[in-house]
């Protein structure tokens, strides 16, 4: 019989292995506590939605809808379905479907995998994760400032320094229409400089031409008519309102007039958090979306954070992940002490400690290797004689945790084991 094929994961879709768990956990805990701090409630929507939700919500002439969606026909009933490329459309769909705005505004957050058929490279995957927040039913620039402040607090909770804020305004649909007409006229006068993609987009989505990655078209894009020249008083006031709130909270920002975002639902404020040219987070206001998806008009704003990109940044900035491993690794002499060892492990867990009880046999030396690799703070050693005396040896695995004068090893009564370890952990935490 020939050897069975070794099946690989799908390109651009990654496993998250235990080695990265400490990083993910550090991030996820910071997210959960930041969302709580701003009164955002978690919402979980399905990964699969009707294709037309994204076509209508994100926009027909966008990269996502034109070429990046994983869409398929449900073989059982012929429905056109899509793996969500982002979550704002799904969250808004759910808010409308369940009438969540009936009693006032809602602050929602979510996290989970998203799917885009992009060319995989570092920081760009086909399955990636987002954390997002959506503030629905709030029209003022204070809501825009709130979601930006929330991100800012998250970066600082994570100890990230190099993440910079860029903002822009897209105005209202009628202001954009006037600007759009001016843009088409301008680009038509310079058809010879436009590449194929730009020509294709000239009449369908000329705004996206400003977002060109083609260096030959850069000077043309730079000199194009600016939207700000077409904005009315209310839109200008909204943008100025956001900026003055950001200034009042000492949040540095840069206005990037070229920031247009890749989804069509936005109006007024848009923003991105960028580190070394990579967008870690993108968001903005999307007042037209609720109505576009069939709900009673209601304003909204929010953001989506690319989790893998933030984790990469955490690695680059060597963010402290804390211990990451368990608290205690119990090393023991085997069958003869298994029962007292199990008993000790359960008591330690009762006291709230995370414990690995060695399994699989092996001598003390091999077991200590495992204890070291586990990241445990302390090894508890249980030999037959000690167990008979109701004692164990505690070996501090991290230098800082050795209590002064007590060396790296001490004998402790089993009854006092949990308290001794907890006291040392607390003292260690105080030092940190
Ligand atoms: P987005 O800019 O398309 O916005 O995505 C948000 C973030 O997701 C990006 O800044 C990036 O960090 C990450 N991201 C996007 N595509 C990939 C990929 N292929 N691989 C890895 N990371 C990626 C949205 O999705 C909007 N729903 C954000 C929003 C929420 N606006 C208002 N509310």
């Amino acid at each position: 019989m020939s050897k069975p094929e070794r099946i690989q994961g799908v390109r651009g879709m990654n496993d998250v292995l235990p080695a990265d768990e400490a990083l993910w956990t550090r991030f996820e805990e910071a997210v959960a506590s930041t969302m709580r701090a701003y009164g955002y409630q978690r919402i979980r929507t399905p990964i699969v939605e009707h294709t037309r939700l994204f076509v209508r919500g994100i926009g027909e002439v966008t990269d996502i809808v034109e070429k990046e969606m994983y869409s398929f026909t449900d073989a059982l009933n012929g429905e056109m379905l899509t793996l969500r490329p982002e979550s704002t459309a799904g969250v808004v769909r759910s808010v409308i479907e369940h009438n969540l705005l009936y009693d006032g505004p809602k602050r929602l957050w979510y996290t989970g995998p998203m799917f885009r058929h992009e060319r995989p490279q570092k920081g760009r995957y086909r399955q990636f994760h987002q954390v997002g927040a959506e503030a629905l039913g709030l029209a003022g620039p204070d809501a825009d400032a709130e979601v930006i402040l929330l991100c800012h607090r998250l970066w600082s909770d994570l100890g990230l320094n190099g993440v910079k804020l860029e903002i822009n305004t897209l105005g209202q649909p009628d202001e954009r229409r006037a600007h759009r007409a001016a843009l088409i006229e301008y680009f038509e006068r310079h058809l010879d400089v436009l590449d194929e993609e730009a020509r294709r987009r000239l009449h369908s989505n000329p705004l996206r031409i400003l977002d060109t990655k083609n260096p030959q078209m850069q000077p043309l894009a730079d000199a194009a008519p600016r939207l700000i020249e077409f904005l009315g008083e209310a839109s200008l006031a909204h943008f100025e309102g956001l900026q003055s709130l950001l200034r009042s909270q000492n949040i540095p920002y840069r206005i990037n007039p070229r920031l247009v975002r890749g989804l069509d639902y936005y109006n007024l404020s848009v923003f991105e958090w960028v580190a070394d040219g990579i967008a870690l987070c993108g968001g903005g206001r999307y007042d037209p979306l609720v109505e576009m998806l069939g709900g009673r008009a209601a304003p909204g704003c929010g953001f989506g954070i690319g989790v893998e990109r933030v984790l990469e940044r955490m690695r680059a900035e060597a963010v402290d992940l804390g211990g990451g491993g368990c608290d205690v690794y119990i090393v023991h002499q085997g069958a003869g002490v298994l029962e007292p060892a199990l008993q000790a492990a359960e008591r330690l867990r009762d006291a709230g400690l995370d414990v690995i009880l060695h399994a699989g046999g092996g001598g003390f030396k091999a077991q200590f290797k495992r204890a070291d690799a586990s990241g445990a703070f302390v090894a508890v050693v249980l030999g037959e004689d000690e167990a008979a005396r109701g004692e164990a040896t505690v070996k501090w695995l991290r230098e800082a945790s050795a209590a002064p004068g007590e060396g790296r090893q001490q004998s402790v009564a089993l009854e006092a084991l949990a308290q001794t370890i907890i006291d040392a952990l607390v003292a260690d935490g105080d030092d940190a």
Side-chain angles (χ1 to χ4, degrees), residues 225-238:
R226 301 207 159 186
L227 176 67
I228 200 108
E229 298 151 22
F230 296 80
L231 295 187
E233 234 170 79
S235 297
L236 288 171
H238 190 102

Side-chain angles (χ1 to χ4, degrees), residues 201-257:
R201 284 194 154 143
L202 178 55
H203 292 274
S204 56
N205 199 348
L207 206 69
R208 287 302 308 278
I209 301 178
L210 300 176
D211 207 17
T212 179
K213 303 273 182 300
N214 181 348
Q216 257 105 52
M217 284 172 46
Q218 218 69 50
L220 188 69
D222 286 340
R226 301 207 159 186
L227 176 67
I228 200 108
E229 298 151 22
F230 296 80
L231 295 187
E233 234 170 79
S235 297
L236 288 171
H238 190 102
F239 196 39
E240 184 41 52
L242 169 61
Q243 291 181 62
S244 80
L245 289 171
L246 294 178
R247 283 193 300 265
S248 77
Q249 299 308 305
N250 296 317
I251 308 289
Y253 64 88
R254 180 175 86 88
I255 296 177
N256 176 1

Side-chain angles (χ1 to χ4, degrees), residues 295-366:
R296 185 139 45 88
C301 68
F303 61 79
I305 292 173
V307 176
E308 284 82 356
R309 294 186 185 182
V310 174
L311 298 181
E312 197 45 46
R313 193 69 209 168
M314 288 167 68
R315 283 191 196 97
E317 293 196 28
V319 167
D320 180 13
L321 302 181
C326 64
D327 300 317
V328 182
Y329 194 102
I330 302 184
V331 165
H332 61 86
Q333 224 171 356
V337 292
L338 193 52
E339 283 178 22
L342 261 175
Q343 175 87 2
E346 288 304 317
R347 286 229 192 121
L348 294 175
R349 292 181 185 124
D350 287 343
L353 294 165
D354 300 332
V355 182
I356 294 180
L357 174 60
H358 180 81
F364 277 139
K365 200 167 161 216

Side-chain angles (χ1 to χ4, degrees), residues 320 426-432:
D320 180 13
V426 169
D428 192 54
D430 288 348
D431 292 348

